[in-house]
């Protein structure tokens, strides 16, 4: 079912990178994929002592992956982001699994973020994992039991729901579809005294709930236990709070991959969720590779119709 043959696991020898390793190992076991354990050997940071330490750590990490299908690579470069992206393109990577430090505020702007660059620019889906020390109750050892899909009814929403159905079925997990209503109207003088969308459409949550159920029914894929939710507020804050309160194990959401001025002005809900989510976040672009092929989803749907439970 999974269309994953090559998994890229970047590792900078930090705690954040360590957090991603169990997820890469679990996914490799389920997909029989090759794991590429990649270290970006930055030109300004390497000495003979650090190089020896790096090779020793990579060898130990290879042992922890516990599979014969591991490629260990150390690639020199000026910056980690371009090294990872060039490796992804040249090795036909299907999935990137990486840790993120989850920095916020001025520290993030000063230091930058490799995970942010990869999420924004990679062609393959990216699974970002924050160190479990921050949210120790969410552990990969318990498996994926609850998958959350924020739905904004964009063109990518159908693909996200289809991928989530397949992942939930593979892990025997339940699925939550969440739509966030941005309730404030801007500017308010356009709206004839209405300040929120609820003033114009009091039944907005019921209507959106029907749309979510119709979307689930329309998208091909295996049938899994699911619920729909509609909440008001700012999208990234509602998503992360929902995931925390409902003990979600995975958030799956598309990213539009905005860059330059457009990205600075509009920001990215997906990137903000990656920084703050209490569980791993799987992001993908509408035009990028998917973990589950469209053909597989269609075949699963046809099989379910021929052999109903």
């Amino acid at each position: 079912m999974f269309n994953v043959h090559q998994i890229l696991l970047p590792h900078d020898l930090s705690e954040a990178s360590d957090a991603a390793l169990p997820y890469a190992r679990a996914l490799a076991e389920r997909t029989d994929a090759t794991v590429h354990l990649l270290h970006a050997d930055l030109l300004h940071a390497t000495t003979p002592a650090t190089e020896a330490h790096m090779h020793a750590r990579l060898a130990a990490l290879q042992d922890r992956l516990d599979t014969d299908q591991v490629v260990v690579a150390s690639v020199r470069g000026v910056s980690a982001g371009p090294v990872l992206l060039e490796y992804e393109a040249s090795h036909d990577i299907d999935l990137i699994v990486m840790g993120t430090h989850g920095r916020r505020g001025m520290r993030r702007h000063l230091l930058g973020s490799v995970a942010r660059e990869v999420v924004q620019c990679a062609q393959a889906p990216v699974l970002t994992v924050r160190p479990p020390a921050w949210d120790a109750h969410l552990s990969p050892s318990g498996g994926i039991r609850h998958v959350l899909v924020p739905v904004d009814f964009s063109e990518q929403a159908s693909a996200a729901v289809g991928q989530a159905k397949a992942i939930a079925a593979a892990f025997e997990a339940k699925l939550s579809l969440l739509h966030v209503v941005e309730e404030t109207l801007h500017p308010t003088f356009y709206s004839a005294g209405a300040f929120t969308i609820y003033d114009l459409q009091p039944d907005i949550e019921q209507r959106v709930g029907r749309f979510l159920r119709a979307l689930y029914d329309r998208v091909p894929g295996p049938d899994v236990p699911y619920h729909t939710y509609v909440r008001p507020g700012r999208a990234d804050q509602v998503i992360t709070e929902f995931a925390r309160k409902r003990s979600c194990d995975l958030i799956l959401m598309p990213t539009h991959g905005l860059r330059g001025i457009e990205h600075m002005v509009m920001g990215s809900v997906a990137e903000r969720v990656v920084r703050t989510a209490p569980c791993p976040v799987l992001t993908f672009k509408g035009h990028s590779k998917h973990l589950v092929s469209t053909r597989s989803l269609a075949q699963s749907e046809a099989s379910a119709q021929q052999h109903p439970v």
Side-chain angles (χ1 to χ4, degrees):
M1 176 179 290
F2 285 104
N3 188 32
V4 177
H5 308 287
Q6 309 291 333
I7 297 175
L8 175 58
L9 175 63
H11 206 291
D12 64 0
L13 311 184
S14 69
E15 178 189 3
S17 292
D18 278 344
L21 190 143
Y23 290 90
R25 181 176 60 216
L27 288 164
E29 289 174 353
R30 288 182 176 270
T31 60
D32 198 31
T34 297
V35 178
H36 295 252
L37 177 60
L38 173 65
H39 176 74
D41 185 9
L42 303 185
L43 297 176
H44 60 277
T46 302
T47 66
T50 58
E51 187 170 0
H53 173 70
M54 174 191 69
H55 288 300
R57 284 279 283 129
L58 291 176
L61 291 168
Q62 182 178 4
D63 291 340
R64 286 176 57 191
L65 284 169
D66 194 26
T67 175
D68 294 331
Q69 300 184 114
V70 179
V71 175
V72 180
S74 177
V75 179
R76 303 209 76 184
V78 176
S79 179
V83 168
L84 306 187
L85 294 169
E86 289 173 11
Y87 191 96
E88 176 214 5
S90 61
H91 290 78
D92 196 24
I93 297 298
D94 300 302
L95 172 67
I96 300 172
V97 182
M98 65 185 303
T100 174
H101 297 273
R103 298 188 180 100
R104 308 181 193 181
M106 186 56 67
R107 186 163 179 249
R108 178 178 68 87
H109 290 293
L110 289 175
L111 294 174
S113 169
V114 176
R116 177 180 176 226
E117 184 175 0
V118 173
V119 166
Q120 184 179 344
C121 302
Q123 295 304 303
V126 182
L127 179 66
T128 50
V129 185
R130 296 172 67 200
W134 295 359
D135 293 281
H137 66 287
L138 293 172
S139 169
S141 61
I144 296 174
R145 301 170 301 274
H146 189 179
V147 179
L148 170 62
V149 181
V151 177
D152 61 1
F153 297 109
S154 65
E155 293 181 4
Q156 293 92 342
S158 294
V161 173
Q163 301 291 309
K165 278 185 171 184
I167 292 172
F171 286 90
E172 298 182 352
K174 63 182 179 181
L175 176 62
S176 290
L177 306 182
L178 170 67
H179 177 76
V180 181
V181 178
E182 300 275 359
E183 56 180 328
T184 304
L185 300 176
H186 300 286
T188 55
F189 65 80
Y190 285 167
S191 51
F195 294 95
T196 75
I197 190 65
Y198 289 89
D199 294 328
L200 297 177
Q201 298 183 23
D203 63 340
I204 184 67
E205 293 190 7
Q206 292 77 12
R207 293 179 62 190
V208 172
R210 290 195 294 270
F211 291 150
L212 288 171
R213 291 188 289 274
L215 176 64
Y216 176 91
D217 291 337
R218 185 175 71 250
V219 172
D223 193 21
V224 297
Y226 83 102
H227 288 89
T228 62
Y229 301 89
V230 183
R231 298 286 188 271
R234 188 175 126 176
D236 59 300
Q237 294 176 350
V238 173
I239 292 167
T240 55
E241 186 62 20
F242 183 97
R244 184 171 289 106
K245 287 184 176 180
R246 300 276 177 166
S247 298
C248 296
D249 301 298
L250 176 68
I251 301 173
L252 190 153
M253 60 190 305
T255 177
H256 299 281
L258 302 176
R259 305 184 190 183
I261 294 297
E262 188 178 18
H263 181 273
M264 291 174 64
V265 173
M266 297 181 65
S268 168
V269 173
E271 289 181 20
R272 291 196 293 269
V273 171
V274 164
R275 290 201 308 272
T276 59
C279 61
V281 181
L282 177 64
T283 56
F284 69 95
K285 300 178 183 64
H287 63 273
S288 67
K289 297 179 179 180
H290 291 169
L291 295 184
V292 184
S293 66
T294 304
R295 178 180 299 178
S296 295
L297 291 176
Q299 289 173 345
S300 297
E301 180 71 8
S303 176
Q305 291 175 355
Q306 293 173 5
H307 306 284
V309 177

